[in-house]
Amino acid sequence: MLNRSLSTFMNAFTASDYTMYPFSTQNAKDFQNLLSVYLDAVFFPCLREQDFWQEGWRLENENPTDPSSPLMFKGVVFNEMKGAFSDNERLYAQHLQNKLYPDHTYSVVSGGEPLSIPDLSWKQLKHFHATHYHPSNARFFTYGDLPLEQHLRQVEDEALSRFDRTQPDTQVPPQPHWTSPREEHVTCGPDALAPDPARQNTLCMSYLLGDITDTSEAFTLSLLSSLMISGPNSPFYKALIEPKIGTDFSSVVGYDGSTKEASFSIGLQGMAEDDIERVKQIINQTIDDIIANGFEEERIEALLHKIEIQMKHQSTSFGLSLASYIASCWNHDGDPVELLQISESVAQFRRALAENPRFLQEKVQQHFKENTHRLTLSMSPDQSYLEKQAKAEEDKLQQKIQALSDGDKKEIYEKGLELLAAQSKTQDASCLPALQVSDIEPTIPVTPVQMGTAGGVPVQYCEQPTNGMVYFRAMCSLNTLPEDLKQYVPLFCSVITRMGCGSLDYRQQAQQIELKTGGVSVSTQVIPDSTHLDMYEQGVLLFSSCLERNLADMFHLWSDLFNSPRFDDEERLRVLVMMSAQELANGISYSGHMYAMTRAGRSLSPAGDLQETFVGMEQVKFMKRIAEMSDLKQVLRTLPRIKKHLLNPENMRCAVNATPQKMSDAAGQLEHFMKDIAGNRKERKTVRTSIIERPLDPLVTTGPSRKLISDSTFQPCQMKTFFPLPFPVNFVSECIRTVPFAHQDYASLCILARMMTAKFLHGEIREKGGAYGGGARMGGGGLFSFYSYRDPNSVQTLSAFRKGVDWARSGQFSQQDIDEAKLSVFSAVDSPVAPSDKGTGRFLSGITDEMKQAHRERLFMVTDKNLQDVAERYLGLGQQTCGVAIIGPENESIKKDPSWIVK
């Protein structure tokens, strides 16, 4: 349906005790189409045996066409779950839940323990579906401005009326309470990117709390959890993070209300084995301290302020967030409406606190100090963990194979061929409803912006219904920054707002940010030019938001950051560096395809090269190096050097989104801010000589401009890189240098990427190859990227990418395929934009509504000839330069091939 609809979201989520099938769209006809397909898929699926083999698990010859090749386990979910458990954080969280709730459904892996998956039969699956996926066990949620009666009629006619009521008996009983605390230990694979190999232990204490259907208690406990662990002012941050015993809190931390009875967890990761007893003592001591001292009033206010902002800030997925927010409680027969009355919960909380100043301390006494249902779980790396996993899988496989007769093996081979044949056939999807290209709006709504200046700095004002919030952005150029400081920029961005400023130390600064803003952040930006592949803009983006009443305070925080940031606390820097390095290392098993794509694009364009420096594997390794340094003084000294180049009003432009009523006030405050920071203004020489200027306002060519780097000497080159990492699955990518956004072929390449993904690559990489995902995408920087995600294959997937190109060049697709790809591309192009983000694209990359409309018209015009033509000219072998990257387990064939660089 992704290709037959203008959906803005479509998926299915599996929680520990429910499955949720959400979709959203802005088009009424589309809503009916999707509802109809979702009702049919959930309540009347075919669930054929072949579907179970493909998506679940099967025994099959390694090469399905060769009966003498060895038998192995295959299946999409089987590989997905192997990939999921290669992530130590995920592994730890899973063990923690299974062991804290050992007596019922939470004691098992809801997504499937990889080695238990081959024990599930097709018949069991069908029976489970018939009993659980039944209207008597279902709940429906709609959100939006379409009339409710229509939805209800459709749900009744197409699903409910076709069933009789049953008693599904799916309620989860309460977990029997332990009379004394328990301790458990588990092992995991070693982390190749850990800054200190001797410190890879995790320890955490988890407490079983009350039933989540008691909404006011749940609200109180979740607030209490934030007070205990959130930010540098919280008691657990001071007690556990600041002494640098570990790199960060454990992967599970704080309040978790996703199970029938909630839990609270506190602990550390990245610690030495010798510190385990000490950490247990610190946790118990901190709980005693909280009971004795309570919390400062200002911290409670800061937290309630945060809730107020969350209620006012509008996101484009508001309905989806609400559905997820109420799902667990409602699933256990709690009252979803009560849960949504957040203002009432806040008022109730304030009353309880006013009546009893020790209200929170008593809760800590009751739920933590006196709670005997407490689990202490430690996890340590085992050097032979992966071997043991592989051996367990091999044993399981042999056990299955030994039970087979020759007849069984022959049947497996024949079934494998049948499945391959079915996968190679084009499915007839004509029974599915579809929108037409003519249902797509021909023009985009215009977003009006006003250009102005404040203190000589260009400003874009965008009036929007922001619901009482103000959003501020500033783009600061990196053009004068010396090359040797470039790789420190991401670190600078992550610490600049967390080390203190002006008269505030980092704790006071964190408090002020919580009390007065919706957050303050700085991030790197590499913005490719829309007309030229070797041109780009480089900078950092400052972003913050606040309630209208706090506008002056928000700008005051920024003034302090410009005028007197603090770079004097080496201990604080070490804490931030350790957390940052840990977070980067943990992210690879989750976003490996992004790292592979970034790496593959590195040698193809100057912007791609800089992206790898800022957000690629390069940055992961750089941060690992910094985390390993015993002395950070040299790093501390680079920060002010970077600051004077970046936080310079001379190389800056701003944008403000606010309501029309508030805009002149915001402009006045911005003017005041510019006066405050004028002392930082200095003309500095740019490092690169070739700077191209592009007017900020296309209608005023003499006005202020964006200053882009033009790298005419850049030579794109072929490069194949392999990163061996201890994962059981691969992430594979190939990138090809094509054309920029404004080029006439860009639209054809966008449609081609979506069509190849849906009509060819999905079948090859997921259905046949068994990877969890894969496809192609066209990037704004002119790089056409192929990728696979959690893939059991490595080099073989590269030939699947090649086959996809041959398929496109030979024109084996229909007009229907093209129209579906157009729908799919337009659903992304037209996805809703929140008031806080309107005008941002134009502000950052200079892409105006007129340019977007021209791109839109080119998308409508794409024909089959265009698609074959761009596939031939850009993607054909030897036509353009390409880069390749694979992240995955040790690979002998790659190591022997001299064309690969092994990192």
Side-chain angles (χ1 to χ4, degrees):
M1 284 306 289
L2 284 170
N3 309 300
R4 305 173 75 90
S5 126
L6 288 169
S7 71
T8 50
F9 188 85
M10 255 201 272
N11 214 328
F13 302 144
T14 309
S16 299
D17 52 13
Y18 65 84
T19 305
M20 176 166 144
Y21 296 93
F23 65 86
S24 63
T25 175
Q26 302 174 88
N27 177 303
K29 180 178 162 194
D30 199 23
F31 187 87
Q32 285 181 328
N33 288 354
L34 287 168
L35 180 54
S36 169
V37 171
Y38 264 68
L39 288 170
D40 191 64
V42 172
F43 293 119
F44 310 101
C46 300
L47 286 186
R48 293 167 298 228
E49 191 169 14
Q50 272 192 348
D51 302 330
F52 176 69
W53 297 339
Q54 174 182 294
E55 297 296 316
W57 77 277
R58 65 187 181 276
L59 275 179
E60 189 177 270
N61 297 95
E62 188 171 353
N63 173 359
T65 56
D66 174 7
S68 66
S69 65
L71 288 172
M72 61 186 289
F73 288 131
K74 294 185 184 178
V76 172
V77 173
F78 178 73
N79 284 315
E80 178 209 357
M81 292 311 294
K82 270 172 68 174
F85 285 123
S86 66
D87 172 357
N88 287 344
E89 290 194 284
R90 166 76 194 265
L91 183 72
Y92 186 80
Q94 185 68 59
H95 279 303
L96 194 65
Q97 186 185 71
N98 298 161
K99 291 173 166 46
L100 185 67
Y101 303 89
D103 291 319
H104 198 63
T105 185
Y106 304 124
S107 64
V108 293
V109 181
S110 56
E113 159 61 47
L115 291 188
S116 301
I117 291 175
D119 295 334
L120 178 69
S121 72
W122 172 51
K123 286 197 172 57
Q124 286 171 314
L125 180 85
K126 293 199 355 167
H127 176 71
F128 188 84
H129 176 271
T131 48
H132 290 75
Y133 292 70
H134 188 286
S136 308
N137 193 40
R139 291 171 167 79
F140 296 84
F141 171 103
T142 62
Y143 168 92
D145 58 3
L146 296 174
L148 173 65
E149 292 73 25
Q150 248 175 304
H151 305 336
L152 295 175
R153 189 171 306 118
Q154 193 177 345
V155 169
E156 168 65 26
D157 294 347
E158 296 183 20
L160 305 191
S161 62
R162 299 166 61 181
F163 288 90
D164 294 324
R165 190 167 188 86
T166 61
Q167 295 300 322
D169 184 30
T170 54
Q171 65 273 30
V172 179
Q175 163 64 43
H177 264 250
W178 303 339
T179 48
S180 60
R182 299 183 185 177
E183 294 216 2
E184 299 263 5
H185 178 76
V186 294
T187 59
C188 63
D191 178 1
L193 292 160
D196 180 349
R199 293 175 56 182
Q200 291 190 41
N201 291 268
T202 298
L203 173 99
C204 167
M205 286 192 183
S206 271
Y207 301 82
L208 184 70
L209 306 175
D211 196 303
I212 57 171
T213 58
D214 179 346
T215 39
S216 72
E217 180 74 342
F219 181 81
T220 300
L221 288 170
S222 124
L223 270 188
L224 181 58
S225 164
S226 295
L227 288 168
M228 287 162 71
I229 62 164
S230 260
N233 291 293
S234 64
F236 276 116
Y237 191 102
K238 290 178 184 171
L240 287 173
I241 299 288
E242 310 233 307
K244 299 184 280 295
I245 309 165
T247 50
D248 201 347
F249 284 131
S250 44
S251 62
V252 184
V253 66
Y255 178 82
D256 177 0
S258 67
T259 45
K260 184 182 193 313
E261 290 160 290
S263 66
F264 172 86
S265 306
I266 180 68
L268 283 176
Q269 58 178 314
M271 50 186 264
E273 206 166 337
D274 304 349
D275 284 326
I276 284 182
E277 287 310 312
R278 177 181 167 204
V279 169
K280 293 181 194 170
Q281 283 166 348
I282 293 176
I283 293 174
N284 291 325
Q285 183 57 50
T286 308
I287 287 172
D288 289 343
D289 294 346
I290 295 171
I291 294 169
N293 307 323
F295 303 100
E296 293 160 39
E297 202 173 314
E298 197 175 50
R299 287 204 57 228
I300 297 172
E301 280 312 315
L303 202 56
L304 295 173
H305 166 259
K306 196 173 178 174
I307 292 171
E308 185 181 352
I309 284 200
Q310 283 166 349
M311 287 162 67
K312 283 194 181 290
H313 172 74
Q314 302 168 67
S315 73
T316 54
S317 55
F318 188 69
L320 183 65
S321 313
L322 287 185
S324 303
Y325 175 63
I326 64 170
S328 279
C329 177
W330 193 21
N331 185 39
H332 296 293
D333 299 319
D335 180 350
V337 179
E338 199 177 284
L339 202 56
L340 294 175
Q341 291 162 338
I342 295 178
S343 306
E344 178 43 42
S345 299
V346 172
Q348 212 178 337
F349 175 78
R350 284 189 184 280
R351 283 197 298 274
L353 211 51
E355 285 162 19
N356 174 8
R358 289 189 53 84
F359 170 63
L360 289 172
Q361 284 136 286
E362 285 167 11
K363 291 281 176 206
V364 175
Q365 177 84 30
Q366 173 198 344
H367 289 290
F368 303 113
K369 183 73 180 166
E370 293 163 3
N371 188 346
T372 49
H373 197 114
R374 180 182 83 209
L375 171 70
T376 305
L377 180 67
S378 54
M379 177 170 83
S380 60
D382 172 358
Q383 292 307 321
S384 55
Y385 179 81
L386 282 176
E387 285 163 49
K388 287 176 184 163
Q389 293 290 94
K391 183 172 179 338
E393 185 181 328
E394 184 54 35
D395 292 348
K396 182 94 183 179
L397 180 64
Q398 288 313 324
Q399 179 198 333
K400 292 268 182 204
I401 291 174
Q402 269 145 26
L404 300 173
S405 65
D406 288 347
D408 295 336
K409 289 182 184 166
K410 186 164 180 284
E411 191 184 349
I412 285 175
Y413 169 64
E414 282 162 3
K415 281 182 168 178
L417 289 179
E418 279 167 39
L419 181 61
L420 192 59
Q423 289 168 337
S424 306
K425 270 215 305 274
T426 308
Q427 288 194 8
D428 176 17
S430 58
C431 64
L432 294 173
L435 291 182
Q436 307 305 316
V437 174
S438 56
D439 290 319
I440 301 169
E441 290 293 329
T443 55
I444 51 166
V446 174
T447 301
V449 298
Q450 281 83 43
M451 305 302 283
T453 57
V457 171
V459 187
Q460 169 186 297
Y461 296 103
C462 185
E463 295 183 349
Q464 289 291 328
T466 55
N467 209 10
M469 298 277 297
V470 179
Y471 299 88
F472 166 71
R473 291 176 173 84
M475 175 76 175
C476 303
S477 170
L478 287 176
N479 290 353
T480 67
L481 185 75
E483 287 293 329
D484 63 314
L485 297 179
K486 276 252 172 93
Q487 54 188 27
Y488 288 95
V489 172
L491 174 63
F492 173 85
C493 290
S494 89
V495 305
I496 176 79
T497 56
R498 298 193 291 173
M499 290 190 65
C501 60
S503 61
L504 309 173
D505 64 23
Y506 67 88
R507 288 197 176 132
Q508 295 161 323
Q509 176 190 32
Q511 188 86 307
Q512 282 305 305
I513 289 175
E514 289 252 290
L515 264 175
K516 303 296 186 185
T517 75
V520 170
S521 69
V522 183
S523 57
T524 56
Q525 295 287 319
V526 180
I527 302 168
D529 180 48
S530 56
T531 59
H532 205 295
L533 286 185
D534 293 330
M535 275 162 50
Y536 62 95
E537 188 182 14
Q538 49 174 359
V540 297
L541 179 67
L542 319 184
F543 173 73
S544 65
S545 61
C546 66
L547 297 168
E548 288 172 351
R549 63 173 188 260
N550 294 325
L551 201 50
D553 294 317
M554 176 177 82
F555 279 122
H556 184 72
L557 277 164
W558 280 118
S559 301
D560 278 353
L561 276 171
F562 271 73
N563 294 334
S564 47
R566 292 194 174 183
F567 297 124
D568 50 6
D569 186 341
E570 189 182 344
E571 293 311 299
R572 172 65 177 159
L573 179 66
R574 177 162 305 282
V575 168
L576 295 173
V577 161
M578 276 163 45
M579 290 173 91
S580 177
Q582 182 73 54
E583 199 179 318
L584 284 172
N586 288 346
I588 298 176
S589 69
Y590 190 69
S591 326
H593 60 311
M594 302 305 292
Y595 281 106
M597 281 192 276
T598 304
R599 185 62 181 211
R602 157 182 217 171
S603 60
L604 303 181
S605 74
D609 191 32
L610 187 56
Q611 272 297 48
E612 170 69 14
T613 304
F614 282 167
V615 299
M617 290 298 285
E618 190 83 359
Q619 186 61 32
V620 178
K621 296 180 65 177
F622 176 70
M623 279 308 297
K624 173 172 155 55
R625 265 207 324 275
I626 291 201
E628 287 164 354
M629 291 179 178
S630 54
D631 180 356
L632 288 176
K633 289 194 184 56
Q634 173 260 324
V635 179
L636 217 44
R637 285 196 295 273
T638 57
L639 298 175
R641 286 177 63 203
I642 296 174
K643 180 254 155 188
K644 65 178 193 211
H645 288 279
L646 266 53
L647 303 186
N648 176 359
E650 181 69 30
N651 308 322
M652 184 168 152
R653 62 177 184 273
C654 301
V656 176
N657 286 24
T659 57
Q661 300 79 341
K662 202 64 190 171
M663 201 53 101
S664 64
D665 189 10
Q669 293 287 353
L670 187 59
E671 192 76 50
H672 186 71
F673 165 59
M674 287 305 167
K675 265 204 202 71
D676 275 354
I677 63 168
N680 298 286
R681 189 173 201 127
K682 190 161 182 218
E683 269 206 56
R684 298 179 188 279
K685 276 218 342 249
T686 56
V687 174
R688 301 277 185 93
T689 44
S690 42
I691 301 284
I692 304 285
E693 302 209 15
R694 288 276 155 86
L696 283 178
D697 187 342
L699 305 175
V700 188
T701 45
T702 54
S705 62
R706 301 166 59 227
K707 296 174 179 58
L708 283 75
I709 302 282
S710 165
D711 192 341
S712 50
T713 58
F714 184 85
Q715 287 295 323
C717 64
Q718 306 269 13
M719 198 184 265
K720 290 156 69 175
T721 317
F722 174 58
F723 290 90
L725 283 178
F727 300 146
V729 286
N730 295 278
F731 301 94
V732 184
S733 176
E734 175 182 348
C735 291
I736 300 164
R737 179 180 159 108
T738 59
V739 296
F741 177 79
H743 192 285
Q744 64 203 37
D745 291 336
Y746 181 82
S748 302
L749 287 161
C750 289
I751 304 281
L752 181 65
R754 289 315 273 267
M755 187 174 74
M756 281 171 84
T757 299
K759 299 295 166 188
F760 188 86
L761 296 169
H762 178 84
E764 288 292 313
I765 297 171
R766 180 178 164 126
E767 292 176 355
K768 291 185 193 170
Y772 190 53
R777 55 173 71 164
M778 179 64 201
L783 302 184
F784 188 98
S785 308
F786 295 98
Y787 66 94
S788 72
Y789 184 72
R790 294 191 175 157
D791 187 346
N793 308 300
S794 58
V795 188
Q796 304 85 316
T797 300
L798 294 172
S799 49
F801 298 158
R802 280 288 123 220
K803 280 192 210 159
V805 174
D806 296 338
W807 172 85
R809 286 163 61 195
S810 62
Q812 298 169 17
F813 45 84
S814 63
Q815 186 56 45
Q816 171 81 16
D817 294 341
I818 300 172
D819 289 349
E820 288 184 6
K822 285 185 181 179
L823 279 170
S824 183
V825 168
F826 275 108
S827 73
V829 169
D830 291 341
S831 61
V833 178
S836 54
D837 298 331
K838 286 265 167 74
T840 308
R842 172 182 177 143
F843 169 68
L844 288 175
S845 52
I847 294 179
T848 60
D849 286 340
E850 293 73 25
M851 290 164 76
K852 283 186 188 162
Q853 184 60 34
H855 172 57
R856 189 180 195 81
E857 282 156 23
R858 287 196 288 270
L859 286 170
F860 277 120
M861 306 277 288
V862 171
T863 65
D864 56 344
K865 289 277 171 290
N866 297 143
L867 293 171
Q868 271 179 274
D869 172 57
V870 294
E872 183 66 55
R873 275 189 303 131
Y874 297 108
L875 309 183
L877 262 179
Q879 292 297 319
Q880 301 291 328
T881 318
C882 70
V884 174
I886 297 182
I887 297 171
E890 291 291 347
N891 190 313
E892 285 313 310
S893 66
I894 289 182
K895 285 196 163 163
K896 289 182 188 138
D897 180 343
S899 68
W900 285 88
I901 295 166
V902 178
K903 280 287 172 185

